Amino acid sequence: MSLTPEEKKQYNRHLILDKIGEEGQLKLKKAKVLVIGAGGLGCPVLQYLTAAGVGNIGIIDDDEIDQSNLQRQILYTIDDIGSSKAETASKRLSKLNPFVTFTVYKEKLTRANAIQLFENYDVIVDGSDNFSTRYLTNDASLLTNKPLVYGAIFKFEGQVSVFNYKKSATYRCLYPSPPKPDESPNCSEIGVLGVLPGIIGSLQANETIKIICETGEVLANKLLMYDTLSMRQMILKFERTEKAEVTELEEDYDFFCGIKSMNNEISLGELQNNLEIYNLLDVREYWEREEHHIGGQHIPLGEIPQRYLELDTSKPIVVYCKSGMRSKKAINVLEGELNNTVFVNLKNGIK
């Protein structure tokens, strides 16, 4: 493998850089990286890995672009609303660097596809926004022996680490058990500073390049914590524990993380044909309710613990949100308080 004259022009600033040079650039060209999620973290990760010349990049994301994404997901424009994130990202990134090959997976990372996908890549980058996917990604990377570049954001703060790098500590070593569902709100519930995923995603891309080029000090056995409000950062050291010994994937990662797999679910079509037998509960935010709703009571997810007694429990209650995730969390809370009421989840929400 060698660099073409056009590639040498494209990567000139790398080629003249000590610790990268032509040898490092060829390693980047040969590398295969899978990026999980093309959202807030995935956008900067994908942009910088593409610009750096990582030869083969996989993008897995089953979501579509929403207007609320544009505040931080800077790969997209208002004209892209409603389009596939993974597909749109691939098309835009191809214009940035025509020497990179993209493989698009317009699907969700699951227990069924994780192992097979990971086996095809050298490095896994986690840009997900939920604990179920993080634990699944950790376990699959261990079982396939792939280094995992982790990033997470919360309001004004972010974290970066590298797991399973030359048998280093893992996500489960750092977080042996997941938080309760009502203790881990995502950015659609509490918001996030728009520039934060750009900072954390860029740091993830940096760690990925260091791993591929075998240069610098990788953030293995270390957690970098960054606060945008104070501009303080701290590195926490931790060690590999027995929790790193994973022999198989969990049967159900939603169940493991306290988000029950809903046997009691209904599709939007089924609901529309049987509206008279249900009461509805919308657990989205106020601004989402104003834009569009399908009726029923409205109590945002964060207010459920204080306001559940307001519910009309005369009929089974169908709980709905945008994608079906917040409604699952709401049902977990409500079933603990109103155990004589039947709650049904609107599968995949109303998006």
Side-chain angles (χ1 to χ4, degrees), residues 120-149:
N120 295 324
Y121 292 91
D122 305 315
V123 182
I124 313 300
V125 183
D126 183 7
S128 65
D129 62 356
N130 63 85
F131 288 95
S132 300
T133 305
R134 288 171 188 161
Y135 280 99
L136 168 60
T137 301
N138 173 81
D139 295 354
S141 69
L142 283 167
L143 292 172
T144 55
N145 195 28
K146 308 292 182 177
L148 171 61
V149 182

Side-chain angles (χ1 to χ4, degrees), residues 25-77:
Q25 196 61 51
L26 286 170
K27 289 178 180 178
L28 289 167
K29 181 176 181 177
K30 184 180 178 181
K32 298 179 179 180
V33 176
L34 177 65
V35 179
I36 300 168
L41 293 171
C43 281
V45 168
L46 288 165
Q47 284 172 296
Y48 276 108
L49 293 185
T50 300
V54 171
N56 294 272
I57 299 177
I59 309 171
I60 180 167
D61 196 314
D62 68 335
D63 201 7
E64 295 178 349
I65 299 159
D66 184 85
Q67 190 166 3
S68 65
N69 300 149
L70 303 183
Q71 163 252 15
R72 64 201 178 281
Q73 298 179 21
I74 55 174
L75 262 177
Y76 314 121
T77 73

Side-chain angles (χ1 to χ4, degrees), residues 1-12 14-15 20-30 52-53 99:
M1 182 181 288
S2 60
L3 299 175
T4 67
E6 287 301 308
E7 286 177 309
K8 289 181 179 180
K9 292 179 185 178
Q10 185 94 359
Y11 308 129
N12 173 264
H14 269 178
L15 298 177
I20 300 291
E22 187 165 350
E23 181 182 353
Q25 196 61 51
L26 286 170
K27 289 178 180 178
L28 289 167
K29 181 176 181 177
K30 184 180 178 181
F99 307 115

Side-chain angles (χ1 to χ4, degrees), residues 266 268-278 318:
I266 191 170
L268 186 57
E270 291 171 323
L271 174 63
Q272 289 169 334
N273 292 329
N274 297 279
L275 272 174
E276 70 281 353
I277 67 173
Y278 295 107
V318 173

Side-chain angles (χ1 to χ4, degrees), residues 74-322:
I74 55 174
L75 262 177
Y76 314 121
T77 73
I78 200 159
D79 295 328
D80 299 321
I81 292 172
S83 301
S84 159
K85 286 185 179 179
E87 198 167 62
T88 304
S90 171
K91 290 177 181 177
R92 193 140 294 139
L93 292 165
S94 295
K95 296 179 181 179
L96 171 63
N97 192 341
F99 307 115
V100 174
T101 299
F102 297 96
T103 305
V104 172
Y105 307 95
K106 293 193 293 183
E107 58 191 276
K108 184 178 180 180
L109 185 73
T110 66
R111 185 183 191 277
N113 63 17
I115 297 295
Q116 184 176 2
L117 278 174
F118 284 23
E119 285 177 341
N120 295 324
Y121 292 91
D122 305 315
V123 182
I124 313 300
V125 183
D126 183 7
S128 65
D129 62 356
N130 63 85
F131 288 95
S132 300
T133 305
R134 288 171 188 161
Y135 280 99
L136 168 60
T137 301
N138 173 81
D139 295 354
S141 69
L142 283 167
L143 292 172
T144 55
N145 195 28
K146 308 292 182 177
L148 171 61
V149 182
Y150 159 79
I153 52 176
F154 181 81
K155 296 173 74 172
F156 298 96
E157 301 175 358
Q159 301 180 347
V160 183
S161 187
V162 175
F163 303 127
N164 198 42
Y165 176 68
K166 299 180 179 180
K167 301 298 182 181
S168 69
T170 73
Y171 184 73
R172 285 184 183 264
C173 301
L174 187 61
Y175 299 111
S177 57
K180 296 178 181 178
D182 56 353
E183 294 175 347
S184 56
N186 59 36
C187 66
S188 65
E189 299 161 23
I190 58 168
V192 62
L193 183 67
V195 299
L196 176 61
I199 296 168
I200 300 302
S202 297
L203 292 172
Q204 287 181 273
N206 182 57
E207 292 304 306
T208 305
I209 291 169
K210 284 157 58 181
I211 291 170
I212 294 168
C213 294
E214 300 177 280
T215 189
E217 188 176 336
V218 174
L219 272 174
N221 297 323
K222 298 174 185 176
L223 178 71
L224 186 150
M225 307 174 74
Y226 187 89
D227 184 341
T228 58
L229 293 182
S230 65
M231 296 302 289
R232 284 196 295 263
Q233 65 179 33
M234 175 176 66
I235 292 181
L236 170 71
K237 294 183 178 181
F238 61 103
E239 297 180 351
R240 188 179 175 100
T241 70
E242 70 280 356
K243 293 292 183 180
E245 306 309 316
V246 173
T247 57
E248 60 182 358
L249 297 180
E250 299 279 352
E251 286 294 328
D252 188 329
Y253 280 88
D254 279 348
F255 183 82
F256 172 73
C257 291
I259 305 171
K260 296 178 183 176
S261 294
M262 294 291 173
N263 295 319
N264 205 12
E265 288 191 316
I266 191 170
S267 69
L268 186 57
E270 291 171 323
L271 174 63
Q272 289 169 334
N273 292 329
N274 297 279
L275 272 174
E276 70 281 353
I277 67 173
Y278 295 107
N279 290 325
L280 301 181
L281 172 61
D282 181 357
V283 296
R284 298 172 303 153
E285 296 302 309
Y286 290 100
W287 64 269
E288 293 176 284
R289 176 78 173 189
E290 290 173 2
E291 285 185 351
H292 171 63
H293 65 84
I294 59 173
Q297 290 180 267
H298 177 227
I299 304 177
L301 176 61
E303 299 178 18
I304 292 288
Q306 293 77 40
R307 297 179 55 193
Y308 65 89
L309 292 176
E310 298 175 21
L311 290 176
D312 179 358
T313 58
S314 60
K315 300 177 182 178
I317 298 175
V318 173
V319 185
Y320 71 89
C321 64
K322 178 184 175 182

